[in-house]
Amino acid sequence: MRTNQQTTLKTSVTLTGIGVHSGNPAEITIHPAKANHGIAFLRTGTTTGNDRLIKAHFACVSATELCTVIGDVETGAVATIEHLMSALYGLGVDNALIEIDGPEMPILDGSARPFVTAIDSVGLTTCGAPRRWIKVLQPVRIEAGRAFAELRPIDRGFRLDVEIDFESPVIGRSRKAMDLTPAAYRREIAPARTFGMMKDVERYWKAGFALGASLDNTVAVGETAVVNPEGLRFADEFVRHKFLDAVGDLALAGLPIQGAYRSYCGGHRMNVGILEALFADRANYAIVEGQGTRREPARAEFGLGIAAFAAEL
């Protein structure tokens, strides 16, 4: 597959499961889409009875507590999109329509691997149009206490460097840095599962979170050890999953990124926040084709920051 050409799925593929937070059943179908469509969610089964099309874009994010949510709860939203978005970005899928019949994505095994397997089962095809990239032109950084996230320019590709630092002795401090390619993503990132602290379970339940969590879809962290009988898939599975989440959240830029991402003690809020900071100033980025040729976007397509997207979302 040529990396300078846009891609989509060869045919549709369906997955079913339950939401990790809602506990409700969910079915999704990932459909092929034409060139320049991007990634979008078609939310069916809304309380209003009206289907809603929601662009997978940071300007559509409505919540980032424990997961990433796009859309509006009253008219139709989709929660926990980060694992599928991560798989699509990691495999280099530019265009897809995700049809979903409920308010939350299925968690499956807690990683992106089932999504990768589903996409690989149908394969990818090119769309007959050049791939466009968001090229980072100058450093952008945000901070929140000791945590930070930043984007910097690089010559080619997309590199992520993610570091976590938990008080839990089971998790501790670790760091994962890697150039993002489909092969590396499949091997090193996609299998890493979401995780949570056993001591926080009751608090999550009272807040309406983790109602579908189990040892089948979450790494449960006790005071001194992982509770899951099978243990970890990687010695550093925790930071690999945070890397996975960062890929999924940064996919909400709307186009692949040419740049280097670095975070310390970040999360969904900071991943989305760095995109807001990047697009807040037109001097921070350019749209290029084939990671080289500069393409000045029409104002209606990208515009000057978040507000310019509102009319087409």
Side-chain angles (χ1 to χ4, degrees), residues 16 35 57 60 73 121 128 137 148 167 171 177 219 227 285 290 298:
T16 60
H57 191 270
C60 292
V73 174
S121 73
L137 297 181
F148 70 83
E167 292 183 2
I171 302 176
V219 176
V227 176
Y285 69 97

Side-chain angles (χ1 to χ4, degrees), residues 192-258:
R193 296 162 294 173
T194 192
F195 60 92
M197 308 286 191
M198 290 295 295
K199 66 180 179 63
D200 294 329
V201 168
E202 288 192 13
R203 177 168 61 86
Y204 290 157
W205 287 344
K206 289 179 181 178
F209 292 107
L211 301 179
S214 72
L215 296 182
D216 293 327
N217 57 40
T218 304
V219 176
V221 181
E223 291 186 6
T224 59
V226 168
V227 176
N228 304 60
E230 74 278 13
L232 296 173
R233 292 177 176 175
F234 305 96
D236 60 348
E237 186 169 2
F238 303 111
V239 72
R240 289 180 191 236
H241 186 77
K242 288 294 188 180
F243 190 112
L244 183 157
D245 280 347
V247 172
D249 290 335
L250 294 172
L252 297 175
L255 293 173
I257 296 171
Q258 180 185 336

Side-chain angles (χ1 to χ4, degrees), residues 22-52:
S22 66
N24 294 328
E27 178 177 287
I28 70 162
T29 300
I30 311 170
H31 298 287
K34 63 182 181 180
N36 300 318
H37 175 279
I39 310 297
F41 288 77
L42 179 62
R43 172 74 160 83
T44 66
T46 65
T47 56
T48 64
N50 298 318
D51 296 347
R52 186 177 182 207

Side-chain angles (χ1 to χ4, degrees), residues 89 133 136 150-162 175-181 243 246-247 250 257-263 291:
Y89 196 145
W133 301 75
V136 179
E150 61 185 16
L151 280 166
R152 295 179 291 101
I154 56 175
D155 291 337
R156 291 188 66 83
F158 186 34
R159 181 171 182 80
L160 293 94
D161 183 343
V162 176
R175 185 173 178 178
K176 178 70 175 176
M178 189 181 78
D179 293 327
L180 190 66
T181 66
F243 190 112
V247 172
L250 294 172
I257 296 171
Q258 180 185 336
Y261 178 71
R262 168 91 166 97
S263 72
Q291 285 193 298

Side-chain angles (χ1 to χ4, degrees), residues 72-93:
D72 180 78
V73 174
E74 299 299 323
T75 58
V78 183
T80 321
I81 65 167
E82 58 270 16
H83 297 174
L84 173 57
M85 291 301 300
S86 184
L88 292 168
Y89 196 145
L91 297 186
V93 180

